[in-house]
Amino acid sequence: MTKSVFKDCRGFTLLEMMIVIVLLGILATLAIPKFNNSIALANTAKIQSDLQTLNTAIAMHIIQYGKNPTDLKKDLGNYIDNIDELSPPQGTCFLKTGEKLKITAKSYNLDSIGETALCQERPLKDFGTGEK
């Protein structure tokens, strides 16, 4: 009795398997760029948030001491918890010009007069998607 039940069962044909593999390939080619853009958008948002936080701390330092900071970690440590751990993400991000920028910086820094925080020598206003 068990032989007759399994006798009529068939597996997938080679053609069916190839169709499934092609469909998965098409889905992957559509999904991977969206995933990469999502990572770049998240990196951009992190950089914007970090630079805004640093710029706020710079303003607080100027108000309190009457001068611009000279060192991010030393001068702004009182305003930002865990400032030693604050660093740009790795990967790519978007600039408002529409370009993607590969992030190579290991830390944020100050402009030449200590008035603005920078990421890879670019201020907060340079980062974004260009959409409103």
Side-chain angles (χ1 to χ4, degrees):
M1 175 143 178
T2 56
K3 269 189 170 181
S4 65
V5 171
F6 292 115
K7 187 177 182 184
D8 294 330
C9 292
R10 295 180 39 213
F12 294 107
T13 66
L14 181 59
L15 180 63
E16 291 169 331
M17 292 298 289
M18 289 182 68
I19 289 172
V20 168
I21 291 171
V22 167
L23 288 175
L24 288 174
I26 291 170
L27 289 174
T29 58
L30 295 175
I32 289 172
K34 295 287 184 191
F35 179 72
N36 287 338
N37 277 346
S38 296
I39 292 173
L41 284 170
N43 288 343
T44 304
K46 180 180 182 342
I47 290 170
Q48 288 175 314
S49 174
D50 290 351
L51 289 177
Q52 183 62 53
T53 299
L54 289 167
N55 286 339
T56 301
I58 290 168
M60 292 172 65
H61 181 272
I62 292 170
I63 290 169
Q64 185 171 0
Y65 296 104
K67 63 180 183 175
N68 295 348
T70 56
D71 182 79
L72 277 178
K73 293 186 180 191
K74 186 172 67 172
D75 294 337
L76 304 182
N78 293 335
Y79 308 106
I80 301 172
D81 291 336
N82 301 325
I83 194 164
D84 293 329
E85 298 170 13
L86 191 64
S87 63
Q90 297 303 303
T92 59
C93 66
F94 289 108
L95 298 176
K96 286 192 177 171
T97 60
E99 301 171 66
K100 271 189 178 181
L101 174 69
K102 178 151 178 57
I103 305 163
T104 58
K106 300 293 182 201
S107 63
Y108 297 105
N109 54 4
L110 292 168
D111 65 357
S112 60
I113 58 174
E115 205 171 55
T116 305
L118 305 173
C119 176
Q120 213 157 297
E121 304 303 320
R122 294 177 182 270
L124 172 61
K125 66 181 178 72
D126 287 357
F127 294 93
T129 59
E131 299 172 359
K132 297 195 179 204

